[in-house]
Amino acid sequence: MKGFFRASFSVGISVCFLLSGCGGAGGTDSISSDTSENLAVVRPLMEMSRYDLKTYLLPYWDTREIYQETVVFLEGETEAPLLYAAQDILSVKNYGLNIVYEAGKDYELSEDGRLVLTPNSSIPRFPIDEYYLTEPDDRVIKVNNEKASVALEGDHWLNFFENDELTSVQISVCYRHKQAWKGPIPEGKGEKIPRFLSKLENGENVTMLFYGDSITTGAQSSGFEQVSPQADIWPVMVKKYIEAEYGVGVNYINKAVGGYTTNQGAQNFGNGVNRSGVDLLVLAFGMNDQNTALSKYKSLIQSMIEDFRRENPEGEIVLVSAMTPSYETDW
């Protein structure tokens, strides 16, 4: 059956890009190799037994090694695709990285690079009726049955998966592949924040303000929920990346509020959010705005930009856009 896949790559990768100018299953020879100049080189393996900032911020579009890609198997599913067709599985563990699953015993690698569960695999599967709810809760996201990973009849709603409800059944896969990335690649935009970068390059300390919704608070990330592997929330990843890359100190301010719409963000931007002296404002709204027209969203973001610049005309701004919450809905 079609495997359900969710990637765990951090939003922080793209923000850091803006700022910068284990044994396992055997390989398979049946996957077509990409010999184009776009194929990344094979690199020495990085840390994959615990949370490590460098590993987690490795650009997935420019590496032959993929670390901690998360996968969920739904009840009845036996195989799942990965971001790339895997050539060699380096390790398969639980989300917390403290349970090791064994090649041949718990999983196998298919000839086309997919992860396949063995008949007696100890890898967990998520119950379908707990993933696709038959009764809506107070946070309704209705499933489009034609887009669902499994065949559904009648109305269903997606579970919101608070705390570690989903991650407790996720597995974390490390593997090598031999394919070039075919998707979009972020472009450096350092020229948009010249003052901030100049301070970093001159070894000066900086102040960063993050403002957004629950994604920016870090909700459901392991560090926020205090569960293994205790990965930093993405704004802290950005902070630590800058400190390590430039050898400076970052005065880190995070005023994000879980559940905030862009309208609430704009209304409360001046309430307890000190913007004076901020070198870089990171605005990350939109994930709770399914009922907000694009023109309204744009005007609300613009209003926060103008409020910030009135108080801090030299401060610079990075916008983090909203993403599609799930391809299985029409949200």
Side-chain angles (χ1 to χ4, degrees), residues 57-260:
L57 291 184
L58 185 67
Y60 55 82
W61 57 86
D62 186 31
T63 177
R64 294 277 298 279
E65 298 76 31
I66 298 295
Y67 298 95
Q68 317 310 359
E69 181 175 327
T70 53
V71 177
V72 167
F73 284 93
L74 294 182
E75 179 183 4
E77 293 183 326
T78 59
E79 63 180 59
L82 299 165
L83 182 64
Y84 294 91
Q87 179 184 10
D88 294 290
I89 299 293
L90 303 172
S91 74
V92 178
K93 299 180 181 180
N94 67 326
Y95 177 83
L97 306 183
N98 50 23
I99 297 175
V100 179
Y101 297 107
E102 298 181 29
K105 179 181 178 182
D106 296 303
Y107 67 90
E108 297 174 342
L109 180 61
S110 71
E111 290 186 355
D112 61 352
R114 296 162 70 90
L115 192 68
V116 180
L117 300 186
T118 59
N120 297 316
S121 176
S122 59
I123 290 175
R125 296 169 175 84
F126 202 97
I128 290 178
D129 60 359
E130 294 181 22
Y131 188 89
Y132 298 106
L133 303 178
T134 56
E135 296 291 338
D137 59 14
D138 58 347
R139 302 153 303 176
V140 177
I141 300 182
K142 196 170 183 179
V143 178
N144 181 330
N145 288 2
E146 294 182 358
K147 298 180 180 180
S149 294
V150 299
L152 297 175
E153 294 184 4
D155 292 338
H156 290 79
W157 292 263
L158 283 182
N159 193 327
F160 259 71
F161 305 117
E162 295 291 359
N163 307 117
D164 65 345
E165 185 179 3
L166 180 63
T167 59
S168 64
V169 295
Q170 281 182 325
I171 59 172
S172 189
V173 185
C174 300
Y175 61 96
R176 271 200 172 108
H177 67 90
K178 51 182 179 181
Q179 296 177 314
W181 175 248
K182 303 298 185 183
I185 297 175
E187 297 179 3
K189 299 287 186 181
E191 72 277 4
K192 302 290 186 181
I193 49 173
R195 182 176 177 273
F196 182 74
L197 280 179
S198 177
K199 292 189 71 171
L200 295 181
E201 290 162 357
N202 290 332
E204 300 178 51
N205 294 341
V206 293
T207 296
M208 296 183 68
L209 168 62
F210 292 82
Y211 189 49
D213 51 37
S214 60
I215 292 177
T216 305
T217 71
Q220 294 181 280
S221 61
S222 59
F224 181 88
E225 300 294 349
Q226 293 299 297
V227 298
S228 293
Q230 297 283 354
D232 293 318
I233 67 173
W234 76 264
V236 173
M237 287 186 182
V238 174
K239 170 189 180 296
K240 289 184 176 180
Y241 168 85
I242 292 172
E243 290 177 330
E245 185 75 7
Y246 292 95
V248 302
V250 175
N251 178 26
Y252 166 79
I253 306 168
N254 191 332
K255 291 295 183 179
V257 180
Y260 257 21

Side-chain angles (χ1 to χ4, degrees), residues 2-14:
K2 182 180 178 182
F4 181 76
F5 154 77
R6 287 181 58 149
S8 63
F9 305 116
S10 171
V11 177
I13 293 177
S14 294

